[in-house]
Each structure stands twice: as C-alpha cells, then as structure tokens.
C-alpha cells in the first residue's frame, strides 16, 4: 500500500474528491517543468503546473486507480514549453518524471503516484510520445559480465574481433576456448574463463592415488 501524506490520504478516503493529474519533468540540465490536465494553472510544491498544456498520459485509466506501472505520455509540441528542437537535441533524454494526483482545490495537498524517467521519445506531425521507464526497469538491465567457461561474445562483434563474413560456418562456433584457439586462431579475444573451476571439481572426491598433503589438486 502506498504511503501517502496524511492530508492527501484523508482527501481520497472522503466522500467526494477534487483530483486532477499533474506531471513534473526534471531535465538533466536542471530545468523543471510542470503540467496539469486541470483548466487552470496550479502551484504544487513551488512549481507552476501549466494548465491545458496538451500533455497527457496515454495509458492511465480510472480503472487502474493508483496502480500505475511503466506507461507512456503524449503531448503537443509547444514552442514555449516543449519544442521539437529541444527533443531532437536530447535535452529531455533521461529526464526524471514525477506523476502526481493533486487536489485542485488545495494544490498543496497531493500524492506521488509514479516516478521514473523518460525513455524513447517519438515525434510525429507536431506531437510527441515518450516512454515512461520505471525505476524497476533498472533491475532488468544486464550489467557486468557472467563468469562462465564459455565465451559470451557474439561471433563477429567488436569483442570477438573477427569478421563473420570471413567464416561461412560461424554459426557453428561452439564458444569454447579450444575452438577459438584452433579453429579461429583468436584465443587472445576469447571472452570466457576456460580454467574456472566448475561444479565437477567442487563435488569431486579424493582419488586413490592422490598425494594427500593438503596441496592444490590443480
């Protein structure tokens, strides 16, 4: 359950509500913009949320209540707010987005519904559509490397270093150190750990003829 400020929680639990959507954009250069679907500008947290800005969420539905996940926003390219040139110049790339529900009768009473960043932005006929990327998406992003005996490069990519067109049987690459060395003469670019001890060694029992002096087996 969301932890809303007491005043906002009391309002949404009341018999009647006066709510509207608000969106705040914080660009990486520090510029801050506020937008609202309300018919008048609202001051929320010291920021002016511009009314009737043509900025709206495309996937927010009243049936969702406050359960908003990754979505998208749409809007009009306005010469004094969001311009085609600024978007193409990358000024809105990775901008922080905060989506709130605001009590338009008391704009200082609001609740944060979703926070994340702008992802891919598409422009078409004077309109833009921007992907909203939630913080959870960071957990799905591959970072670092997987330690394994096999090579984790794609054949012919920059990490492999070979030209795939020179090897018509490249799809048969078994991604082993032996093949990289003998078949492709490319051991220097092997992207695996061929001498890493695996589960077979971890579960191996002492052999009858082993020298049991406590030294390494390898």
């Amino acid at each position: 359950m969301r932890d809303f400020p007491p005043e906002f929680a009391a309002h949404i639990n009341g018999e009647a509500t006066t709510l509207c959507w608000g969106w705040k954009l914080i660009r990486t250069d520090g510029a801050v913009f506020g937008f609202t679907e309300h018919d008048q500008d609202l001051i929320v947290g010291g920021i002016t949320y511009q009314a009737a800005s043509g900025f709206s969420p495309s996937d927010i539905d009243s049936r969702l209540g406050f359960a908003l996940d990754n979505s998208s926003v749409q809007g009009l390219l306005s010469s004094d707010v969001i311009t085609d040139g600024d978007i193409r110049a990358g000024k809105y790339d990775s901008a922080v987005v905060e989506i709130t529900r605001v009590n338009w009768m008391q704009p200082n009473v609001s609740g944060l519904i979703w926070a994340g960043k702008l992802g891919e932005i598409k422009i078409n006929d004077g309109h833009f559509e921007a992907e909203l990327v939630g913080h959870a998406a960071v957990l799905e992003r591959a970072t670092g490397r997987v330690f394994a005996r096999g090579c984790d490069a794609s054949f012919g990519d920059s990490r492999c270093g070979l030209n795939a067109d020179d090897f018509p049987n490249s799809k048969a690459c078994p991604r082993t150190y032996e093949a990289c060395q003998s078949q492709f003469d490319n051991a220097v670019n092997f992207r695996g750990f061929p001498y890493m001890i695996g589960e077979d060694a971890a579960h191996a029992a002492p052999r009858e003829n082993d020298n049991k002096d406590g030294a390494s087996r390898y």
Side-chain angles (χ1 to χ4, degrees):
M1 183 175 180
R2 295 182 184 275
D3 186 17
F4 290 123
E7 290 184 340
F8 182 75
H11 180 70
I12 62 177
N13 289 321
E15 294 183 359
T17 61
T18 51
L19 297 174
C20 63
W21 288 104
W23 305 270
K24 181 167 71 173
L25 288 180
I26 307 173
R27 296 193 324 204
T28 55
D29 61 2
V32 180
F33 303 93
F35 308 91
T36 178
E37 63 176 350
H38 194 52
D39 57 4
Q40 296 182 16
D41 290 354
L42 301 174
I43 306 297
V44 182
I47 304 297
T48 299
Y49 281 51
Q50 299 182 41
S53 60
F55 198 86
S56 62
S58 61
D59 294 334
I60 292 178
D61 190 295
S62 60
R63 292 172 297 177
L64 295 177
F66 295 108
L68 178 64
D69 198 356
N70 287 8
S71 183
S72 62
V73 290
Q74 297 176 339
L76 300 174
L77 291 174
S78 172
S79 60
D80 58 347
V81 182
I82 299 179
T83 67
D84 181 297
D86 284 348
I87 291 178
R88 295 186 187 279
K91 291 186 177 181
Y92 289 92
D93 291 354
S94 299
V96 172
V97 183
E98 294 180 359
I99 299 180
T100 59
R101 288 292 259 167
V102 181
N103 177 358
W104 51 265
M105 291 288 289
Q106 295 179 285
N108 60 313
V109 177
S110 63
L112 179 65
I113 304 302
W114 186 92
K117 292 185 176 182
L118 286 183
E120 181 182 6
I121 303 177
K122 300 178 181 178
I123 303 174
N124 185 29
D125 294 332
H127 293 74
F128 73 86
E129 181 172 356
E131 177 189 18
L132 296 179
V133 181
H135 293 310
V138 177
L139 302 178
E140 301 174 1
R141 187 181 307 155
T143 58
R145 294 186 60 190
V146 175
F147 286 83
R149 292 180 179 177
C151 180
D152 62 0
S154 295
F155 191 87
D157 68 6
S158 60
R159 297 176 66 232
C160 170
L162 296 178
N163 185 346
D165 294 334
D166 295 336
F167 299 89
N169 296 322
S170 60
K171 291 184 179 180
C173 176
R175 299 176 182 272
T176 64
Y177 179 77
E178 291 75 13
C180 193
Q181 182 180 47
S182 61
Q183 184 177 348
F184 301 105
D185 192 24
N186 194 39
V188 67
N189 287 324
F190 183 72
R191 303 300 179 178
F193 303 87
Y195 303 113
M196 185 174 70
I197 296 176
E199 292 186 3
D200 53 344
H203 295 288
R207 294 185 291 265
E208 182 178 355
N209 297 325
D210 281 349
N211 183 11
K212 301 178 179 60
D213 60 357
S216 173
R217 181 181 298 169
Y218 303 97

